[in-house]
Amino acid sequence: SRSRSRDMSFWDSFTKSASDAAETTKLVTLRSAKQAEIMYIESQITSTLNAFGNDAYPAMEANDSERVRAFFVAAKRVVDQYRADIAAKN
């Protein structure tokens, strides 16, 4: 009976350790997925800023401040949404 009690204690300990390891793996996976999502959104921000520069530069050369402003407002709206998405994930 004492041996059975010790075996159950060992099994309980083993089961708890396995459960803890599975939970840790799950948390690491979720954190990695979240980090990947954030990195993707950050790359979208960079792409948006690059597109703004490509659009705005010719307008600036032509001294068309209204077009520059329109490009800025559109890019800012997109970047602000991406930043809000990142904030929501943190």
Side-chain angles (χ1 to χ4, degrees), residues 6-41:
R6 190 175 25 184
D7 289 344
M8 287 303 289
S9 177
F10 169 77
W11 183 251
D12 291 342
S13 175
F14 175 79
T15 303
K16 179 168 180 359
S17 294
S19 177
D20 289 349
E23 184 66 20
T24 299
T25 300
K26 177 183 169 188
L27 292 174
V28 168
T29 301
L30 289 174
R31 184 174 31 191
S32 296
K34 184 166 67 168
Q35 287 173 334
E37 289 177 42
I38 290 171
M39 287 175 60
Y40 174 75
I41 294 169

Side-chain angles (χ1 to χ4, degrees), residues 3-4 9 14 16 18 20 26 29 38-39 44 46-47 50 55 61 63 66 69 77-82 87 89:
S3 174
R4 179 153 171 78
S9 177
F14 175 79
K16 179 168 180 359
D20 289 349
K26 177 183 169 188
T29 301
I38 290 171
M39 287 175 60
Q44 294 299 103
T46 299
S47 294
N50 288 337
D55 293 338
E61 275 187 323
N63 204 25
E66 286 182 35
R69 178 83 180 142
R77 184 178 325 116
V78 172
V79 170
D80 286 349
Q81 182 58 56
Y82 285 139
K89 293 184 182 306

Side-chain angles (χ1 to χ4, degrees), residues 41-53:
I41 294 169
E42 288 172 342
S43 76
Q44 294 299 103
I45 290 172
T46 299
S47 294
T48 301
L49 295 177
N50 288 337
F52 166 73

